[in-house]
Amino acid sequence: MDNAASTLGPAAELRSETLELQGLDCPDCAAGLEKAIAGMPGVANARLSYTSSTLWVEYVPQLMGRDRIVAGVHEAGYRVREQTPEGREEGRSALAFWRRHPRGVATALSGGLVAVGLLLTLLSVPSPLPQLAFGLGVVVGGYHTARSALFSLRSGLTDMNVLMTAAVVGALAIGEWTEAASVVFLFSLANALESYTMDRTRRSIRSLLQLAPREATLLKDGRQLKLPVEQIAAGDLLLVRPGERIATDGVVVGGSSTVDQAPITGESVPVEKGMGDELYAGTINQQGALEVRATRPYRENTLSRIIQMVEEAQSQKAPAQQFVDRFARYYTPAVILLATGIAL
């Protein structure tokens, strides 16, 4: 993947982007998307975190642009969450809600159509009305699954989406409309529930990220300078005023105050801090101004490490699950070929 940079020589500039994705509801889909983005011309590296639903991309600007990366994400069936300058998600209308939850909307519509089809069948309504209801349920509920299956096949993967699409197509081919619609609805419902669960996890992680301030006050040569927390280096001298959150781990070198450490340690009572005492990122200075010598850069402080451990714990798989994933790479295409052979 580093060949993208080498095509323009060692002096080629690399730029990085971190995109927050919407609609990422299965680990297999995440693996396929990461592989597809990493294979785009001009992309040097790509890492996708399924837990936080973020895509980190490093690319050569002369060969690749952010718009083309976003277009690649959209082509895979996902959206990039755009932020306002204040960092709040755009769109709070009803239409925006449906756009943010397409899987849930499709599942609800599919379930309604399946219910209508079953009711028409129980009432002995002649065809093709029941088949029409079931067919619409398959199309609405199976759209996202079929699109993910197509993307997986183009990426050289055979995942659960491919299996479900093959099963539904086979059921329709032999005239089992009820079974096809029911399978589509149940699978779509399972994915919608998983997506809802993961969204709650991602909101929890984002709430941890919001504990840290976006800027810090740097004391340098007798001046006070505002700088992004990402630029803080170990050894920098920071000023933390009353009511401000501490940007990174450090040691008090001037002043005294009480600090609310509940966001990090869970302590219910503020702790007195003075010369030489240690401070944690994300905690809140309450009374007096503090001069703090940073002991770690922003990405290595206590808060960042907590977030990293949470993401790693969410993304790690048990040995049995790892075995099943490896087994499925060979089992899935073998079963499809065997079934095709038996049918022929």
Side-chain angles (χ1 to χ4, degrees), residues 116-117 120-121 124-136 177:
V116 170
L120 293 176
T121 301
S124 301
V125 175
S127 58
L129 289 180
Q131 287 84 349
L132 178 61
F134 288 134
L136 290 175
W177 295 81

Side-chain angles (χ1 to χ4, degrees), residues 39 57 143 155 206 299 309:
V57 184
Y143 170 74
S155 303
R206 283 196 290 269
R299 298 191 181 279
M309 286 188 293

Side-chain angles (χ1 to χ4, degrees), residues 13-180:
E13 175 192 1
L14 285 178
R15 184 177 300 170
S16 64
E17 293 276 354
T18 300
L19 306 177
E20 189 175 343
L21 308 183
Q22 289 181 310
L24 197 64
D25 51 17
C26 72
D28 291 335
C29 304
L33 177 59
E34 182 182 73
K35 181 178 179 181
I37 298 297
M40 296 178 69
V43 174
N45 291 289
R47 290 198 300 270
L48 195 152
S49 171
Y50 173 63
T51 304
S52 60
S53 192
T54 54
L55 173 66
W56 178 82
V57 184
E58 193 175 38
Y59 60 94
V60 180
Q62 292 88 341
L63 301 176
M64 174 60 62
R66 183 184 187 277
D67 292 342
R68 290 176 60 190
I69 296 173
V70 172
V73 172
H74 289 176
E75 183 181 350
Y78 307 104
R79 297 178 62 242
V80 175
R81 185 193 300 268
E82 300 295 346
Q83 302 286 336
T84 63
E86 292 79 14
R88 294 175 297 182
E89 184 183 348
E90 292 182 343
R92 294 294 176 184
S93 63
L95 180 60
F97 173 83
W98 299 123
R99 287 176 178 174
R100 292 197 303 271
H101 302 84
R103 177 78 71 177
V105 176
T107 300
L109 291 176
S110 177
L113 289 167
V114 171
V116 170
L118 291 173
L119 180 61
L120 293 176
T121 301
L122 291 174
L123 296 176
S124 301
V125 175
S127 58
L129 289 180
Q131 287 84 349
L132 178 61
F134 288 134
L136 290 175
V138 168
V139 172
V140 173
Y143 170 74
H144 292 93
T145 301
R147 185 172 61 177
S148 298
L150 179 61
F151 181 76
S152 297
L153 290 174
R154 289 169 56 186
S155 303
L157 302 173
T158 50
D159 56 13
M160 182 60 71
N161 294 300
V162 176
L163 282 178
M164 293 303 302
T165 303
V168 171
V169 171
L172 293 176
I174 62 176
E176 297 294 340
W177 295 81
T178 305
E179 284 74 8

Side-chain angles (χ1 to χ4, degrees), residues 20-25 50-53 81 89 100-101 191-210 310-311 314:
E20 189 175 343
L21 308 183
Q22 289 181 310
L24 197 64
D25 51 17
Y50 173 63
T51 304
S52 60
S53 192
R81 185 193 300 268
E89 184 183 348
R100 292 197 303 271
H101 302 84
N191 282 332
L193 292 174
E194 182 178 5
S195 178
Y196 172 75
T197 303
M198 289 306 303
D199 279 345
R200 292 189 61 181
T201 302
R202 289 161 185 160
R203 285 197 298 269
S204 298
I205 293 176
R206 283 196 290 269
S207 67
L208 285 176
L209 291 171
Q210 293 172 359
V310 170
E311 292 183 344
Q314 289 284 344

